[in-house]
Amino acid sequence: GLLCELEPSFGEFGVYDLVITDTGAGDVLCSLTTIKEPVNIYLPLLICILGLIFLWVVCSASSYFWSKLKNQCLDASSPGNTQPAPGSPDDKDIARPPQRQRLKSLDTFRGISIVLMIFVNDGAGGYWFLEHVTWNGLQVADLLFPWFMWIMGVCVPISIKSQLKKNVPRLKILTGVIRRACILFLLGLIINSLGGTTLETMRIFGVLQRFGVVYFVIATLSICFTSQTYGIPKGPVVAACQDIIVLIPQWLIIILIIGAHYAIVFHLEVPGCPMGYLGPGGIQDNGDFRRCVGGATGYVDRMILGVNHMYQNPTENEVYKSGAFEPEGIVGCLLSVFQVFLGVQAGTTLTFYQEWKDRLKHWLAWGTASGIIGAILCLASKEEGWIPVNKNLWSLSFVLVTSSFAFFLLSACYFLIDVKFWWSGKPFFYPGMNATIMFVGHEVAYNLFPWHWSVGAMNTHFMQLIEALWGTGLWILVAIWLYHIKFFLSL
Amino acid sequence: GLLCELEPSFGEFGVYDLVITDTGAGDVLCSLTTIKEPVNIYLPLLICILGLIFLWVVCSASSYFWSKLKNQCLDASSPGNTQPAPGSPDDKDIARPPQRQRLKSLDTFRGISIVLMIFVNDGAGGYWFLEHVTWNGLQVADLLFPWFMWIMGVCVPISIKSQLKKNVPRLKILTGVIRRACILFLLGLIINSLGGTTLETMRIFGVLQRFGVVYFVIATLSICFTSQTYGIPKGPVVAACQDIIVLIPQWLIIILIIGAHYAIVFHLEVPGCPMGYLGPGGIQDNGDFRRCVGGATGYVDRMILGVNHMYQNPTENEVYKSGAFEPEGIVGCLLSVFQVFLGVQAGTTLTFYQEWKDRLKHWLAWGTASGIIGAILCLASKEEGWIPVNKNLWSLSFVLVTSSFAFFLLSACYFLIDVKFWWSGKPFFYPGMNATIMFVGHEVAYNLFPWHWSVGAMNTHFMQLIEALWGTGLWILVAIWLYHIKFFLSL
């Protein structure tokens, strides 16, 4: 029978003593005493954050004084050579027309995604709230991959449009797209083989494979539907929405894709599982749906890829023991296309409006709209909504909520970096310019010195956090060095 | 007691039946019958070699006809644009003065070393005679690392002399040397961490670390002792030996280093081991010298590095169970310096003589001399000589014998490629031009798809050979691609 009923809050490294006294008459008295106070797990995080802020201040200040000193020396030696400092009002519109300049905010956004992704993959100091959520829900780590995809979308219309402007034939652009998609897929296979190269059990999909597939779809759509010239919009409403109007044919196809996803997830019959099941299966619900992990999403992968070629250690396996599941599988690709397409929408805004206010207005509107629709779909709840936010299933609400954050983050970066020049985008800017190298590099070097090391048990948050920050910091240094030697991997 | 005494020659995958019949009177009759004939293990090797020859012929023929076809088209379109084909007698001495041209034979030599090294590290099809020898002796695999070091030496005087010619200050050359040595050492540490990144048990030395250390020593010597200008030699004897005469100061230092090595190996007292012990220890000699693996060579590493920071799986461990031994350790560095210096001698010949006959004469003389001295030192025997040929100990006879082969191989390459133009050096030429990438790449990708894969048990020589050739071939393709995009890693 039940001996004690306690709801204690145990802490890490705390030592507790549970004393059970028989008071006679079958009754027991339970008392819990703390022998050793648990450690404060947030203290290492606080120390490291303060340390990083200190480092940032020191670096910024020294770089500021260094450039000031250099300018003074230049002033003294050749007074005609000076240029107005960035941010001074007279050069913003004349010397650097915003449409000619490479937007630093895009690279910074990509850099933030990849740096946080490296930090999370390095263990994130062992803090649960920085890691991936088990099934439904959204934690810091879950934002990064969708952001990374979204920002890829932003760059597609810019790149296609600039190539069309240079009169590159569409077939040639397509060849480049196919080449890039194949390389991404191959790089993904290389990374998958880090877990072993037995072909019978090799995982086929993964992060870079999804990038490859979705990039191919989205770039092909852009190549097909982007016009080299657009008429001058008639009327203020059309003028305010021309970035949406030009995308209408693509939006129709995207809506078809969302419909196909809906049909598969909610209307495909999966043997032994309820229609439209979205749970993690395994021991959840008393094990009623043991073999149903991911419902139709998982079923399609099991049928087409085979269990052996799927991911063997998905986030939910540890908790629900539901076995293999492919978080970057086939069905999830469909709404990933939508995710990237929301990025394409943001990028199209960039190509149609040169005024920063227009751009921000559109982005903030999109961010608000997608956020609201996403919140409605999941009823602003972790488990109770119609379509819960779920990274493993790449659900519609997940796409909308993460894209909403992306619209807002890009707006913030753009405003701070490219409009007001309050921030240079450092240090994220550098890794953002070599994101493929950063991603492949940190995956291949997942256990390599000097990025990774262990001393002793490594069982405290402090040591794990130091190790993760060290590894992430080294990759940032590699990115700065690559920038310095002007090496940018272009696939 | 002894039941049967048979000396059968068992073969792979053969099935045998041993029948022991008691003939009475305590006597037994043993009979061995073959139930299933063993497979011929040399057949896969033969098939693969024939396949490679076929591939070579096809590639050479198609490239020959392709260039002929292209030349004809060029002839037809612009008759003034044709150039004499390489190898035709009139352009050899006029159009391409040999001293201006990058010698393809050096890259080819380096390429042969790295390609064979990759093949051996990929398992070499599981053939014992292609792998490393257990302790004393010399097999194919043992030649590659010393060749690689030797050819590094050949390039040092060429590089230093060309920098001095451009009036680069010696201190600046030295800075570059130190930077390169440090990068090599760091790359070596990265490769060592492929086995785990626990700092308490991290291996410190390795192939690239030895390259770094020895390169630093040899290049520093060259910087110190290379003159920018040399007087015109007086007399035919001096003229015939000027490449040796200018190296006399360096030779003196090298002889001191050889002496130091001799003193350590033969006169350092190692507790519990006989003076000058050169064996593998462990269970050899009835286990009398169990903890003596490598004699003084091993002892110095155990004292300075500590057993935990040495190589844990040396070749002799499997047979003699003698535990950790560092094949790229501290004492071995001394004679590695000599190995590289013999390369420096070959390179100095290149910088002093422009006539191919002079160069070949010198190289063949050095090859013969070092071969004879090496053979005397080991008495042309595996185990019985004064100083047996031993890669783990990097013994003097090992240095001399492998360098002798190197002198002859370079002579052959030079004659075929740069003198007679009978061979272009393909395909080895390409990996030779990016040897660092090849080495680091194949180490990091030691178990990565698409270079490596397994299907089924992989327990036949044929499958293992196919896998090794596939991996090696892919690296050659990578090298060709890098050459194509003009990417050459210069440290």
Side-chain angles (χ1 to χ4, degrees):
Chain A
L2 191 71
L3 261 180
C4 299
E5 207 175 335
L6 296 160
E7 283 188 13
S9 64
F10 290 131
E12 273 185 33
F13 295 112
V15 179
Y16 304 92
D17 192 21
L18 177 67
V19 179
I20 303 171
T21 326
D22 196 338
T23 55
D27 247 18
V28 290
L29 197 76
C30 297
S31 81
L32 187 80
T33 49
T34 302
I35 293 176
K36 193 175 157 229
E37 282 291 332
V39 296
N40 183 344
I41 63 163
Y42 301 104
L43 196 65
L45 197 60
L46 186 72
I47 292 171
C48 286
I49 290 172
L50 289 177
L52 286 179
I53 292 172
F54 177 74
L55 196 70
W56 191 325
V57 170
V58 167
C59 286
S60 304
S62 59
S63 114
Y64 174 78
F65 286 113
W66 175 248
S67 69
K68 211 163 183 186
L69 197 77
K70 228 166 56 175
N71 274 345
Q72 278 183 348
C73 293
L74 282 173
D75 275 3
S77 60
S78 58
N81 209 13
T82 52
Q83 290 188 347
S88 62
D90 56 312
D91 80 315
K92 220 184 310 179
D93 298 304
I94 309 151
R96 9 176 126 209
Q99 69 273 27
R100 293 278 117 236
Q101 199 188 338
R102 185 181 171 112
L103 285 179
K104 269 186 157 183
S105 47
L106 299 186
D107 291 318
T108 306
F109 182 104
R110 197 184 304 108
I112 293 173
S113 311
I114 188 74
V115 167
L116 289 179
M117 200 184 272
I118 292 174
F119 176 70
V120 164
N121 287 349
D122 283 5
Y127 290 104
W128 65 269
F129 50 88
L130 295 177
E131 288 176 0
H132 287 289
V133 82
T134 306
W135 191 249
N136 291 333
L138 196 70
Q139 286 166 203
V140 176
D142 304 308
L143 286 167
L144 311 173
F145 183 25
W147 279 359
F148 209 177
M149 300 193 75
W150 185 88
I151 194 72
M152 176 175 83
V154 176
C155 298
V156 167
I158 301 172
S159 149
I160 303 279
K161 213 168 180 181
S162 102
Q163 289 183 74
L164 287 176
K165 235 181 196 169
K166 290 180 205 153
N167 285 316
V168 181
R170 279 169 208 260
L171 203 69
K172 207 183 159 190
I173 305 179
L174 186 67
T175 319
V177 164
I178 293 172
R179 195 174 53 84
R180 242 162 277 144
C182 289
I183 293 176
L184 284 171
F185 207 98
L186 181 68
L187 286 174
L189 286 179
I190 292 178
I191 288 173
N192 281 359
S193 73
L194 285 165
T197 42
T198 313
L199 294 188
E200 293 95 330
T201 58
M202 188 153 173
R203 186 183 169 201
I204 291 166
F205 278 99
V207 169
L208 288 181
Q209 289 91 322
R210 177 166 285 189
F211 269 112
V213 170
V214 174
Y215 171 73
F216 169 72
V217 173
I218 284 290
T220 307
L221 281 179
S222 266
I223 292 170
C224 293
F225 293 109
T226 304
S227 289
Q228 231 160 329
T229 50
Y230 292 102
I232 295 146
K234 291 159 191 113
V237 178
V238 176
C241 302
Q242 53 174 331
D243 59 337
I244 302 168
I245 292 167
V246 297
L247 287 182
I248 284 176
Q250 298 183 53
W251 265 110
L252 293 177
I253 292 168
I254 294 296
I255 288 167
L256 277 180
I257 289 175
I258 296 173
H261 181 266
Y262 181 84
I264 292 172
V265 169
F266 290 98
H267 295 285
L268 183 73
E269 236 175 278
V270 180
C273 304
M275 188 97 85
Y277 180 76
L278 297 174
I283 58 170
Q284 203 225 23
D285 296 322
N286 303 314
D288 287 348
F289 315 118
R290 191 168 287 283
R291 289 148 174 273
C292 296
V293 51
T297 307
Y299 178 68
V300 168
D301 287 332
R302 287 196 297 276
M303 290 299 107
I304 296 178
L305 303 175
V307 171
N308 283 338
H309 296 287
M310 291 163 64
Y311 189 47
Q312 302 298 315
N313 303 303
T315 49
E316 86 287 357
N317 193 35
E318 212 178 311
V319 176
Y320 299 111
K321 314 285 173 214
S322 31
F325 178 77
E326 182 54 72
E328 280 92 31
I330 296 164
V331 176
C333 269
L334 294 171
L335 288 195
S336 298
V337 169
F338 178 42
Q339 180 113 42
V340 176
F341 187 69
L342 286 170
V344 170
Q345 181 63 68
T348 308
T349 303
L350 268 180
T351 62
F352 272 89
Y353 300 97
Q354 306 306 332
E355 279 295 312
W356 67 266
K357 280 183 189 166
D358 288 332
R359 291 172 169 183
L360 279 186
K361 259 186 242 163
H362 279 79
W363 288 345
L364 294 176
W366 276 107
T368 311
S370 57
I372 289 173
I373 303 173
I376 291 172
L377 286 177
C378 69
L379 290 176
S381 135
K382 194 178 169 189
E383 305 283 352
E384 307 303 322
W386 293 306
I387 302 179
V389 171
N390 189 304
K391 180 179 177 289
N392 278 301
L393 300 174
W394 216 269
S395 65
L396 188 56
S397 54
F398 175 75
V399 171
L400 289 165
V401 169
T402 55
S403 296
S404 165
F405 281 119
F407 277 110
F408 289 126
L409 178 62
L410 182 62
S411 302
C413 286
Y414 178 65
F415 186 73
L416 291 174
I417 298 168
D418 290 311
V419 177
K420 291 290 179 192
F421 302 105
W422 287 339
W423 179 33
S424 62
K426 284 176 194 172
F428 301 108
F429 168 65
Y430 302 108
M433 290 193 72
N434 260 315
T436 312
I437 292 182
M438 292 292 110
F439 187 84
V440 175
H442 100 277
E443 286 277 2
V444 170
Y446 75 105
N447 66 353
L448 292 189
F449 183 85
W451 295 277
H452 295 283
W453 41 265
S454 74
V455 174
M458 300 292 286
N459 63 347
T460 63
H461 283 291
F462 191 66
M463 282 304 276
Q464 288 181 28
L465 198 57
I466 292 285
E467 208 262 352
L469 288 175
W470 167 268
T472 313
L474 270 192
W475 279 114
I476 294 177
L477 287 182
V478 169
I480 293 174
W481 174 70
L482 288 172
Y483 180 86
H484 194 72
I485 65 165
K486 295 191 173 56
F487 184 87
F488 304 104
L489 183 73
S490 51
L491 292 179
Chain B
L2 191 71
L3 260 180
C4 299
E5 206 175 336
L6 296 161
E7 282 187 15
S9 64
F10 290 130
E12 272 185 34
F13 294 113
V15 179
Y16 305 90
D17 192 21
L18 177 67
V19 179
I20 303 172
T21 327
D22 197 338
T23 55
D27 246 19
V28 288
L29 198 75
C30 297
S31 80
L32 186 79
T33 49
T34 303
I35 294 175
K36 196 173 155 231
E37 282 292 332
V39 296
N40 184 342
I41 61 163
Y42 300 103
L43 196 64
L45 196 60
L46 186 71
I47 293 171
C48 286
I49 289 172
L50 289 178
L52 286 178
I53 291 172
F54 177 74
L55 196 70
W56 191 327
V57 169
V58 168
C59 286
S60 303
S62 58
S63 114
Y64 174 77
F65 286 114
W66 175 249
S67 69
K68 212 164 182 183
L69 197 77
K70 229 168 55 176
N71 274 344
Q72 277 183 349
C73 293
L74 282 172
D75 274 2
S77 61
S78 59
N81 209 12
T82 51
Q83 288 188 349
S88 63
D90 57 313
D91 79 315
K92 222 184 311 178
D93 299 304
I94 307 149
R96 12 176 126 207
Q99 69 273 28
R100 294 276 117 235
Q101 198 188 341
R102 185 182 170 111
L103 284 180
K104 270 186 157 183
S105 47
L106 299 186
D107 291 317
T108 307
F109 182 103
R110 198 184 303 107
I112 292 172
S113 311
I114 187 75
V115 166
L116 289 179
M117 200 184 272
I118 293 174
F119 176 70
V120 165
N121 287 349
D122 283 5
Y127 290 105
W128 65 269
F129 50 89
L130 296 177
E131 289 176 359
H132 287 288
V133 82
T134 307
W135 191 249
N136 290 334
L138 196 70
Q139 284 166 204
V140 178
D142 303 309
L143 286 167
L144 310 173
F145 182 25
W147 279 359
F148 209 176
M149 300 194 74
W150 186 87
I151 194 71
M152 177 176 83
V154 175
C155 298
V156 167
I158 302 172
S159 150
I160 303 280
K161 211 167 180 181
S162 102
Q163 290 183 75
L164 287 176
K165 236 181 196 169
K166 290 179 205 153
N167 285 316
V168 181
R170 280 169 207 259
L171 204 67
K172 206 183 161 193
I173 305 178
L174 186 66
T175 318
V177 165
I178 292 171
R179 194 174 53 84
R180 241 162 277 144
C182 289
I183 292 176
L184 283 170
F185 207 99
L186 181 68
L187 285 174
L189 287 178
I190 292 178
I191 287 172
N192 281 358
S193 73
L194 286 164
T197 43
T198 312
L199 295 188
E200 292 96 329
T201 58
M202 189 153 172
R203 186 184 168 201
I204 291 166
F205 278 99
V207 169
L208 289 181
Q209 290 90 321
R210 177 166 286 190
F211 269 112
V213 170
V214 174
Y215 171 73
F216 169 72
V217 173
I218 284 292
T220 306
L221 281 179
S222 266
I223 292 170
C224 293
F225 292 110
T226 305
S227 290
Q228 232 159 328
T229 50
Y230 292 103
I232 296 146
K234 291 159 190 112
V237 178
V238 176
C241 302
Q242 53 175 330
D243 58 339
I244 302 167
I245 292 167
V246 296
L247 287 182
I248 283 175
Q250 298 183 53
W251 266 111
L252 293 177
I253 292 169
I254 294 297
I255 288 167
L256 277 181
I257 290 175
I258 297 173
H261 182 266
Y262 181 85
I264 293 172
V265 169
F266 290 99
H267 295 286
L268 184 72
E269 235 175 281
V270 181
C273 305
M275 187 97 83
Y277 180 76
L278 297 174
I283 58 171
Q284 204 225 22
D285 295 323
N286 303 314
D288 287 347
F289 315 117
R290 190 169 287 282
R291 291 149 173 273
C292 296
V293 51
T297 307
Y299 177 69
V300 169
D301 286 333
R302 288 196 297 278
M303 289 300 108
I304 297 179
L305 303 174
V307 171
N308 284 338
H309 297 287
M310 290 164 64
Y311 189 47
Q312 301 298 315
N313 303 303
T315 49
E316 86 287 357
N317 193 34
E318 211 178 311
V319 176
Y320 299 112
K321 315 285 175 214
S322 31
F325 179 78
E326 182 54 72
E328 279 92 32
I330 295 164
V331 176
C333 268
L334 294 171
L335 288 195
S336 297
V337 169
F338 178 42
Q339 180 113 43
V340 176
F341 187 70
L342 286 170
V344 169
Q345 181 63 66
T348 307
T349 304
L350 268 180
T351 62
F352 272 90
Y353 300 97
Q354 307 305 334
E355 279 295 313
W356 66 267
K357 279 182 188 165
D358 287 332
R359 291 171 170 185
L360 279 186
K361 257 186 243 164
H362 278 80
W363 289 344
L364 293 176
W366 275 109
T368 311
S370 57
I372 289 173
I373 302 173
I376 291 171
L377 286 178
C378 70
L379 289 176
S381 136
K382 194 177 169 188
E383 306 283 354
E384 306 304 320
W386 293 306
I387 302 179
V389 171
N390 189 304
K391 180 180 176 292
N392 278 301
L393 300 174
W394 216 271
S395 64
L396 187 57
S397 54
F398 175 76
V399 171
L400 289 165
V401 170
T402 55
S403 296
S404 165
F405 281 119
F407 276 110
F408 289 126
L409 178 62
L410 181 63
S411 301
C413 287
Y414 177 66
F415 186 73
L416 291 174
I417 298 168
D418 291 310
V419 177
K420 291 289 178 191
F421 301 105
W422 287 339
W423 178 34
S424 62
K426 283 177 195 171
F428 301 107
F429 167 64
Y430 302 107
M433 289 193 73
N434 259 315
T436 312
I437 292 182
M438 292 292 109
F439 187 84
V440 175
H442 100 277
E443 286 277 1
V444 170
Y446 75 105
N447 66 352
L448 292 188
F449 182 86
W451 294 275
H452 295 282
W453 42 265
S454 74
V455 174
M458 301 291 286
N459 62 348
T460 63
H461 282 293
F462 191 65
M463 283 302 277
Q464 288 181 28
L465 198 56
I466 292 284
E467 209 262 353
L469 287 174
W470 167 268
T472 314
L474 270 192
W475 279 114
I476 293 177
L477 288 182
V478 169
I480 293 174
W481 173 72
L482 289 172
Y483 181 84
H484 195 71
I485 64 166
K486 295 191 174 56
F487 184 87
F488 304 104
L489 183 72
S490 51
L491 293 179

